Amino acid sequence: MSKPEFVYVTYIETTPEKLWEALTSSAFTRQYWFGAEVRSDWKLGSPFALLLDGEVTDSGEILESDPPRRLSYSFKHHKFEELRSEPVSRVVFTIEPFGSLVRLTVLHDGFVEGGKYLGAVSNGWPAILSGLKSLLERGQVLAIPRTALNKGFDAK
Amino acid sequence: MKLDQFKPLTVYTIYIASTPEKVWEALTSAEFSRKYFSGFAVEMEPKLGGRFIVRAPDGSEHIRGEVFEYDPPNKLTVSWNVNWPDLVEKLGSTLVTYEIETAGEAVRLTMSERHDRALNDDILSGGRTGWPAILSGLKSLLETGKAPQIKMSPPAKMLEALKAMGIKTP
């Protein structure tokens, strides 16, 4: 059996530097991450927070920071009560040049067997990363309803 | 073949600024697939039970299958059997299901690769490597009008795992 984790790979016509900026700047994340802002100085050991409508929904600390190649932070959810009891998870972004493109691999792990969080994350990342790809390739995000993020668990 | 015995072992979801009809056409026509799928041509008889072929750029049949679920432009299930000697005998058939749904102004495309038995991660690494490249290219093609060249080759660990099972690979 595989351990519970979520892996998503996407190929984007951009540069590693632009992709790094898109992952670490709220001016970008607000556009493709359904309005979410990221807050950190992106240095090893520094705090990380994700905010939605001014409220911290997830927080953690920077575990790896090697611009523009690798970024990792811990991720603890605060917003939905059903997910609050889940353990601290980890997100790892790996950015690799691939011909004229960039391959982005997102690994999200640290879940418990049978938890709800993995389902929520598995629905959220494809919508977020599809928007990121569109933003970098055509300068425009996708109008996807926010409910796409919550598909898979009953968020109130 | 009993479809419900096939479980999804690889799932990939992508959102595309397009319409379900255009996504369906891009998935099922050679004219589109050659652009985003490394020159491979998808040839499908558009009906239940129809023939499904993916032809390599040299004209050979790389994948041969049949249409098992046909509900344009919402759902398509085909068998997706790579034409390597003994592969189907040893691994069983592979089913691929595309589900196409409207999500706001975008389309959510979910690809499920299904099998009727457990397969290890090395065997599955072929699809897990290939699908993100194929579907990233399809999205770019529909959104920007051009598909990037994403050159893929079968992962070494998959080829080794197949060889260990006595399946001849090219």
Side-chain angles (χ1 to χ4, degrees):
Chain A
M1 271 306 280
S2 314
K3 56 186 189 297
E5 63 175 28
F6 177 79
V7 181
Y8 195 87
V9 176
T10 183
Y11 294 81
I12 306 176
E13 197 157 13
T14 187
T15 63
E17 291 76 15
K18 280 186 195 151
L19 181 51
W20 179 274
E21 195 191 350
L23 292 171
T24 55
S25 137
S26 287
F28 280 90
T29 62
R30 267 196 298 270
Q31 295 178 69
Y32 68 82
W33 205 322
F34 295 85
E37 294 176 43
V38 285
R39 199 166 287 172
S40 180
D41 66 9
W42 311 106
K43 294 192 176 103
L44 193 68
S46 287
F48 163 81
L50 189 70
L51 293 88
L52 196 59
D53 306 327
E55 175 194 3
V56 175
T57 57
D58 306 85
S59 67
E61 72 173 83
I62 305 299
L63 304 174
E64 289 176 84
S65 184
D66 178 17
R69 287 176 284 269
R70 204 170 149 92
L71 174 67
S72 169
Y73 40 77
S74 54
F75 209 74
K76 173 78 182 160
H77 188 78
H78 304 289
K79 187 178 165 83
F80 294 112
E81 205 181 333
E82 301 95 310
L83 304 179
R84 266 184 223 144
S85 59
E86 302 258 349
V88 178
S89 61
R90 177 182 74 143
V91 183
V92 184
F93 300 95
T94 306
I95 298 169
E96 300 161 282
F98 193 93
S100 63
L101 308 168
V102 175
R103 173 166 60 203
L104 170 65
T105 305
V106 178
L107 164 70
H108 198 152
D109 65 3
F111 302 101
V112 282
E113 291 282 354
K116 284 183 180 174
Y117 197 22
L118 178 59
V121 158
S122 303
N123 282 303
W125 281 120
I128 293 162
L129 298 170
S130 291
L132 169 62
K133 178 171 158 70
S134 294
L135 179 62
L136 290 172
E137 290 189 353
R138 61 202 279 265
Q140 207 179 327
V141 292
L142 298 171
I144 307 170
R146 220 182 238 192
T147 48
L149 293 174
N150 301 334
K151 197 173 172 268
F153 81 104
D154 300 311
K156 291 182 185 75
Chain B
M1 198 151 68
K2 285 187 177 143
L3 293 190
D4 57 6
Q5 286 174 354
F6 286 76
K7 306 294 176 214
L9 300 187
T10 300
V11 177
Y12 191 86
T13 300
I14 191 164
Y15 289 75
I16 306 169
S18 188
T19 63
E21 290 76 14
K22 282 185 188 149
V23 171
W24 177 277
E25 193 188 355
L27 289 169
T28 59
S29 85
E31 184 202 338
F32 278 90
S33 73
R34 279 198 198 97
K35 292 179 186 159
Y36 65 80
F37 191 174
S38 309
F40 284 70
V42 171
E43 298 172 6
M44 185 183 81
E45 281 184 290
K47 59 177 187 189
L48 200 63
R51 198 172 53 142
F52 180 87
I53 286 168
V54 179
R55 207 174 284 285
D58 68 4
S60 63
E61 278 184 21
H62 178 55
I63 287 157
R64 175 174 267 269
E66 185 185 332
V67 177
F68 283 94
E69 287 182 288
Y70 182 76
D71 178 17
N74 309 307
K75 191 173 186 184
L76 177 70
T77 297
V78 298
S79 47
W80 184 279
N81 295 320
V82 175
N83 186 24
W84 290 346
D86 299 329
L87 186 135
V88 175
E89 288 73 12
K90 298 266 168 73
L91 302 183
S93 266
T94 299
L95 289 186
V96 168
T97 296
Y98 299 117
E99 286 166 281
I100 301 167
E101 301 156 274
T102 302
E105 291 172 20
V107 171
R108 174 172 47 231
L109 168 62
T110 304
M111 185 294 306
S112 309
E113 183 189 309
R114 299 194 283 154
H115 299 270
D116 67 354
R117 63 198 72 186
L119 295 175
N120 68 43
D121 288 339
D122 287 349
I123 301 269
L124 294 170
S125 69
R128 289 174 184 171
T129 307
W131 287 114
I134 294 166
L135 298 177
S136 287
L138 184 151
K139 173 175 163 73
S140 294
L141 179 63
L142 288 175
E143 291 189 1
T144 70
K146 65 186 168 104
Q149 288 309 310
I150 308 177
K151 265 203 127 29
M152 301 305 300
S153 42
K157 60 182 176 180
M158 180 192 76
L159 295 177
E160 279 167 34
L162 294 176
K163 209 176 282 176
M165 293 180 78
I167 297 165
K168 291 171 207 76
T169 58

